[in-house]
Amino acid sequence: RLKPFNRLQVILQHLKMSKQTDSTAEVLLEKRGGAAIITLNRPKVLNALTLSMIQQIYPQIKTWEQDPETFLIIIKGTGGKAFCAGGDIRAIADAGKVGDRLARDFFREEYILNNAIGTCKKPYVALIDGITMGGGVGLSVHGHFRVATEKTLFAMPETAIGLFPDVGGGYFLPRLSGKIGYYLALTGFRLKGRDVLKAGIATHFVESEKLPALEKDLIALKSPSTENIADLLNSYHVKSKVDQEKEFVLDEHMEKINSLFSANSMEEIVKKLKQDGSPFAIKQLETINKMSPTSLKMTLRQLREGASMSLQDVLMMEYRLSQACMRGHDFYEGVRAVLTDKDQSPRWKPAALEEVSDEFLDDCFKPLGNNDLKL
């Protein structure tokens, strides 16, 4: 018989090995045919991303990248409701309040993973079926291919909880056509289905029920090139008829979005919205008035600066901002109001845009010396 300690070791070893295929694991990592597959597996919490999931996914992507038998990487979520609804924000808030390392480590390791996806040498296919927000956007948007479905619900809702659209939002949002990215970032507006493609966030649109067949065909490809994968995705894309005739939800507002959200400051944007006075403008004002003034100013500057930066420099900047939010007030208050007490009445400090000084903002963007993110 095994001594108790040895038996524990054997059990732990066994758990470690079965973790990858165990249906209770938070993330499943497997190899099928020429495809490597990452499955986010926390359906009860909409596949929210934890630090331990990040720590499992990152080294695996790096290993697959070097493997001559791996030709593409597929990432998807389980449960049918969400690809990934974001990072585990509540855990981060709890950690930040007591000065726990998680508030540093989570963002650092998440951004390192975002960069690994953005620089991945193997074609990376994200099946963004269902809710895709915040951290879930970071797991998908920087890869080669993003396949949306009629169930996709995209948003970057961070300004409502005292954060900013991170995970490389400062890179991809200002690069969307016109000022769509600024509009999505500041208001948290939600895009659905084919609109995610039309906004330039997804590369393909496929009906949700066709995804298992698409996945099977991707796995069956023999030593495919990026072009072969693109051809297969295109063949599914052109056959998808759902909502094909519908015009882009923001089409009729694009002119206004492009002019109103091109201002150099938040105060200026608010002034322009007030002057415009149209039902659309008034609605945006109401939304913006609910958001953290600090987050709004931080976000506008993040996007304006990120527009001409590399993804690596953007992530370094965003890491500085994440730590500024951890030191501040609004993030904890936003999490309280939206996620914990759910009273939806955050008391922001400062409460007005005019009270968020340029000096304060400069401080948020300041280098962290040895603590800066290194990519």
Side-chain angles (χ1 to χ4, degrees), residues 168-178 180-182 199-200 303 305-311 314:
Y171 181 78
F172 84 88
L173 288 164
R175 284 167 173 78
L176 298 177
S177 71
I180 289 182
Y182 291 79
L303 266 58
E305 294 194 6
S308 56
M309 287 164 113
S310 67
L311 175 60
V314 164

Side-chain angles (χ1 to χ4, degrees), residues 20-85:
Q20 302 301 320
T21 50
D22 175 7
S23 62
T24 60
E26 300 180 311
V27 58
L28 312 172
L29 303 159
E30 54 185 329
K31 190 69 204 309
R32 287 167 56 198
I37 302 169
I38 302 165
T39 309
L40 309 172
N41 189 36
R42 300 180 73 213
K44 286 194 180 71
V45 288
L46 305 173
N47 299 321
L49 189 63
T50 64
L51 181 58
S52 88
M53 290 162 80
I54 294 166
Q55 288 168 338
Q56 290 172 67
I57 296 167
Y58 174 76
Q60 191 61 74
I61 285 180
K62 286 303 191 192
T63 305
W64 283 329
E65 209 171 12
Q66 301 305 318
D67 174 27
E69 299 301 302
T70 300
F71 295 95
L72 74 151
I73 298 172
I74 298 169
I75 186 166
K76 59 179 185 168
T78 50
K81 279 204 181 117
F83 165 67
C84 170

Side-chain angles (χ1 to χ4, degrees), residues 256 260 273-274 276-286:
K256 278 201 192 308
L260 298 169
L273 287 167
K274 281 181 179 157
D276 184 276
S278 65
F280 175 76
I282 289 163
K283 206 172 156 195
Q284 305 325 308
L285 263 179
E286 282 170 9

Side-chain angles (χ1 to χ4, degrees), residues 125-185:
V125 183
L127 305 177
I128 54 171
D129 189 31
I131 299 166
T132 305
M133 295 185 185
V137 176
L139 290 176
S140 53
V141 79
H142 303 297
H144 300 86
F145 303 110
R146 286 90 63 192
V147 183
T149 74
E150 73 282 4
K151 295 202 304 200
T152 303
L153 180 62
F154 164 97
M156 294 299 276
E158 287 81 4
T159 55
I161 54 161
L163 266 178
F164 58 96
D166 65 335
V167 297
Y171 181 78
F172 84 88
L173 288 164
R175 284 167 173 78
L176 298 177
S177 71
K179 293 291 172 185
I180 289 182
Y182 291 79
Y183 171 68
L184 295 173

Side-chain angles (χ1 to χ4, degrees), residues 29 77 116 168 332 336:
L29 303 159
Y332 304 105
R336 181 205 65 74

